[in-house]
Amino acid sequence: AWAEVQELLERDAVDLLLISPERLNNPQFRASMLPLFAERVGLLVVDEAHCISDWGHDFRPDYRRIRDVLAGLGDVPVLACTATANDRVVADVADKISVMYAGRIIEQASVHDIYARPSHPYTKALLESIPRLDLKGMELAAIKGLPPNLMRIPPGCAFNPRCRYAQDVCRTEVPLLLEVESGRHSAC
């Protein structure tokens, strides 16, 4: 099947190519297909990158392997998506984090800045809700209310009904994602 894909790539006849994360772990595939693919791709999307591993062990070597493969592709734009609650994994694979709420990016900064100095109230609330071993036996912090129905997002900032800092302007104007300091953007 990959011989056919290779032929199609060589003829520039491929608009969309789905490659499983497991395939990126195959040395033969990386050597034969990725260079050909990299010459022609407009955007590489790596979805569910954590699927390269089996459940139940440290994913970080696998994330680093994917990072190394992607780095070898050159100037190919990459959008990588994964879900993890492991802060060490995030620190290993990301330089910059974008935090989204109701389908919009509401904060973007370096990994260090997001964890050390969150700017947006939603980011702060998310980080406060992470369980901590040093607070064993204490009630977990929770974000009040429910996420919005994406078919009926409230006017203004979508987070305003749940935000402890909301002001009148938050209920009427959609905040822009603005640079608040070098390399750091926030929509609040």
Side-chain angles (χ1 to χ4, degrees):
W2 282 105
E4 183 181 343
V5 171
Q6 184 171 356
E7 181 184 324
L8 291 169
L9 280 171
E10 289 169 351
R11 293 191 331 231
D12 282 328
V14 176
D15 290 325
L16 175 67
L17 180 60
L18 301 176
I19 302 171
S20 68
E22 297 88 356
R23 183 74 53 191
L24 292 176
N25 203 22
N26 180 314
Q28 182 180 351
F29 176 84
R30 288 195 312 260
S32 64
M33 295 295 291
L34 283 185
L36 182 63
F37 177 72
E39 293 173 8
R40 292 162 172 79
V41 69
L43 173 67
L44 175 62
V45 178
V46 181
D47 187 26
E48 301 291 346
H50 64 278
C51 291
I52 197 168
S53 291
D54 293 325
W55 291 102
H57 77 278
D58 186 356
F59 296 112
R60 291 176 297 153
D62 299 305
Y63 283 111
R64 285 191 291 267
R65 186 177 306 116
I66 290 174
R67 180 194 62 202
D68 294 344
V69 166
L70 297 177
L73 293 177
D75 284 339
V76 174
V78 176
L79 172 64
C81 304
T82 194
T84 181
N86 186 327
D87 295 344
R88 295 178 308 164
V89 170
V90 172
D92 277 352
V93 300
D95 296 321
K96 185 177 275 193
I97 295 178
S98 294
V99 179
M100 295 182 74
Y101 187 80
R104 292 187 67 234
I105 295 174
I106 50 91
E107 184 166 4
Q108 194 172 56
S110 71
V111 173
H112 177 267
D113 285 345
I114 290 285
Y115 283 99
R117 301 179 298 116
S119 174
H120 194 280
Y122 178 63
T123 308
K124 290 177 186 177
L126 276 179
L127 294 174
E128 289 168 359
S129 69
I130 295 173
R132 293 178 34 193
L133 291 175
D134 61 326
L135 299 177
K136 189 175 180 176
M138 297 188 70
E139 188 172 326
L140 290 175
I143 302 172
K144 72 174 186 171
L146 297 172
N149 177 334
L150 296 180
M151 300 300 288
R152 293 188 303 270
I153 294 176
C157 174
F159 188 60
N160 86 73
R162 305 175 74 194
C163 181
R164 61 183 174 234
Y165 306 107
Q167 301 173 10
D168 289 339
V169 68
C170 303
R171 294 171 183 82
T172 58
E173 295 181 27
V174 176
L176 299 175
L177 185 67
L178 300 173
E179 188 169 38
V180 293
E181 60 185 66
S182 180
R184 181 185 197 97
H185 296 79
S186 182
C188 184

